[in-house]
Amino acid sequence: MSGSEGRLAARGSAQAVLERLSAGDCWSGEALGRELGISRAAVWKAVATLRGLGVPVEAVAGKGYRLPGPVEVLDRQRLVAELRRAGVAPLPSVDVWLSTPSTNLCVLGSQAGTPRAAFAEVQTAGRGRQGRRWWSAFGEQVQFSLAWHYQALPAPVPGLSLAVGVELAETLSRLGARGLQLKWPNDLLCKEGRKLAGILIELEGQVLGPCRVVVGVGVNHGRGAGGAEADRPVASLAEAGLEGVARNRLAAFLLSAVIRGCQRFGVTGLDDYREGWARWDALRDRPLSVVQAGATLRGWGAGISEDGALVLTLASGGQRVLHAGEVHIGAALADS
C-alpha cells in the first residue's frame, strides 16, 4: 500500500470510528475493531487521526474511547434528503468533509452549471473578513461554502453578503432563534452584539460577464462555541433560543437560505432586501466609529445605500457613504 493509499485508509477508518462514537457511548478498542472488522492497532491509528483533526476523543481507563457528549455528525445523504424534502432547486452538488483547510477552497474552480456546496466538521485554515481566522472546532459550528455562477451580476458583489445575511436571519428566526441582528457588512449577531455567524464572499471572473461567486458561511451551533481561540466575543444558536433542531436539518435550512439569496440577488440585486435589512440592522441610529484607510470616522448609522454601502451620519455634520471599513459600535465623537 502506498503512503497516499494508507492515509486514505486511515481517514476512512477514522470516519467509521467517529460514526460509532457520535452517540456519546464508550467503546473499547477491541469492540470497535470487532464492529468495523479492523485490528486494534488500526483503531488506535484512527483515534490518533481524529485527535489530529481536532476531534476531542477521550480515553477512559478500563473502558475505552468516547466523545465528551453525543454529536450529530454531518452526513451527505441526510443533507441531500433534507434539501429534496424542502424542494430546493436547483439541487446543488454536496460534499461533506471531516476536515479541510477551507470549504471556500473546496468549491473554488467548480465548473459552471450545477451549484456546488461543501460542508466541513473542522476547518484548519478557515477565513473571515479582512483575513481574520474563523475559529473552528469539531461539532461546534455548521460551516459550509456554496459556489454559484452568474452570467452577469445585477449589482456590486459586496451586496450579496447583505442579501445572504437577510435570508439567514429570516430562516433562523422562523426556526425559533430570537434577538438576531445584522451588522454591516457580513455578521449575524445576537446576545449583546456577540457574533453568531459570519459570511465571506469571494469572486472569480468578470463582474460584467460570466463569473463564479463563492459564499462561505460559518454559524456557531454548540454551547461551547465561545472558545478561547475565537478572536472576538461569540454566541451560539443555543443562546439565541434555538435548540432541538437536528444538525443535518439545520445545515440544509442554512444552505437553502444561501441558495435563495443567490437566486434573488441574481434577478433584483438588493431591491428585494433593503427593507429586510432595515428590520435586522444592528447599526441604525447607533453611535459608530469606522476605521478606513488609517483614518477613523465617527457618527451614527443611517442604514444602507441602494448598492449596499454603509451610510454614516457624521458627528461633524453631513453624511458619508462607505463601501469598506471596520465598524465598531461606540461613542460618536469628532472625526479624526
Side-chain angles (χ1 to χ4, degrees):
M1 181 183 291
S2 68
S4 60
E5 289 173 334
R7 286 190 293 272
L8 286 173
R11 287 294 179 95
S13 296
Q15 183 70 45
V17 168
L18 177 60
E19 290 170 359
R20 300 310 188 278
L21 297 178
S22 63
D25 299 326
C26 198
W27 285 73
S28 69
E30 181 181 358
L32 281 170
R34 187 167 56 249
E35 171 79 8
L36 301 175
I38 59 178
S39 67
R40 292 184 66 177
V43 170
W44 183 87
K45 289 180 181 178
V47 169
T49 297
L50 289 172
R51 287 172 172 165
L53 296 173
V55 180
V57 180
E58 300 175 344
V60 182
K63 293 185 177 180
Y65 302 109
R66 71 180 182 191
L67 295 177
V71 177
E72 183 185 335
V73 178
L74 294 176
D75 178 86
R76 181 186 176 279
Q77 289 185 334
R78 294 175 67 182
L79 268 168
V80 172
E82 291 288 354
L83 292 170
R84 287 190 172 126
R85 190 174 294 117
V88 173
L91 190 69
S93 168
V94 177
D95 294 315
V96 176
W97 299 85
L98 177 56
S99 175
T100 186
S102 164
T103 55
N104 270 30
L105 293 177
C106 289
V107 298
L108 282 170
S110 59
Q111 298 298 311
T114 303
R116 183 181 175 193
F119 289 79
E121 291 289 0
V122 176
Q123 290 186 98
T124 58
R127 293 171 294 122
R129 186 167 169 262
Q130 297 185 340
R132 285 194 181 91
R133 178 177 177 233
W134 175 259
W135 177 74
S136 175
F138 171 75
E140 299 291 356
Q141 288 90 16
V142 174
Q143 46 201 358
F144 64 95
S145 297
L146 173 72
W148 191 269
H149 299 268
Y150 291 105
Q151 286 303 308
L153 284 166
V157 70
L160 180 56
S161 69
L162 278 64
V164 168
V166 171
E167 291 286 359
L168 290 173
E170 292 182 347
T171 295
L172 291 172
S173 179
R174 285 193 296 270
L175 289 173
R178 297 292 179 263
L180 304 179
Q181 291 183 305
L182 289 168
K183 180 187 175 188
W184 183 91
N186 66 337
D187 286 346
L188 180 61
L189 311 178
C190 81
K191 284 284 185 180
E192 295 130 6
R194 288 186 288 151
K195 186 168 179 174
L196 176 65
I199 302 162
L200 178 66
I201 307 290
E202 295 187 285
L203 174 70
E204 288 185 325
Q206 302 298 317
V207 174
L208 299 178
C211 62
R212 176 189 301 107
V213 173
V214 175
V215 183
V217 174
V219 180
N220 294 322
H221 177 261
R223 289 187 177 275
E229 292 180 84
D231 69 351
R232 59 182 58 194
V234 298
S236 69
L237 285 175
E239 293 172 287
L242 182 55
E243 294 187 275
V245 179
R247 194 157 171 253
N248 282 280
R249 187 164 182 253
L250 174 65
F253 274 121
L254 294 172
L255 177 56
S256 299
V258 176
I259 291 172
R260 194 160 50 247
C262 289
Q263 288 174 321
R264 292 176 65 186
F265 185 81
V267 176
T268 66
L270 273 178
D271 290 351
D272 283 354
Y273 289 104
R274 293 186 66 203
E275 183 178 339
W277 182 269
R279 287 197 302 271
W280 301 101
D281 191 351
L283 305 183
R284 184 92 191 194
D285 299 325
R286 300 287 300 279
L288 308 176
S289 60
V290 184
V291 180
Q292 187 182 60
T296 301
L297 299 173
R298 293 183 171 88
W300 289 265
I304 59 173
S305 66
E306 290 185 1
D307 63 355
L310 175 67
V311 179
L312 185 71
T313 298
L314 297 174
S316 57
Q319 286 189 331
R320 288 284 296 273
V321 177
L322 307 175
H323 291 86
E326 182 69 18
V327 181
H328 303 276
I329 300 174
L333 304 175
D335 306 338
S336 62

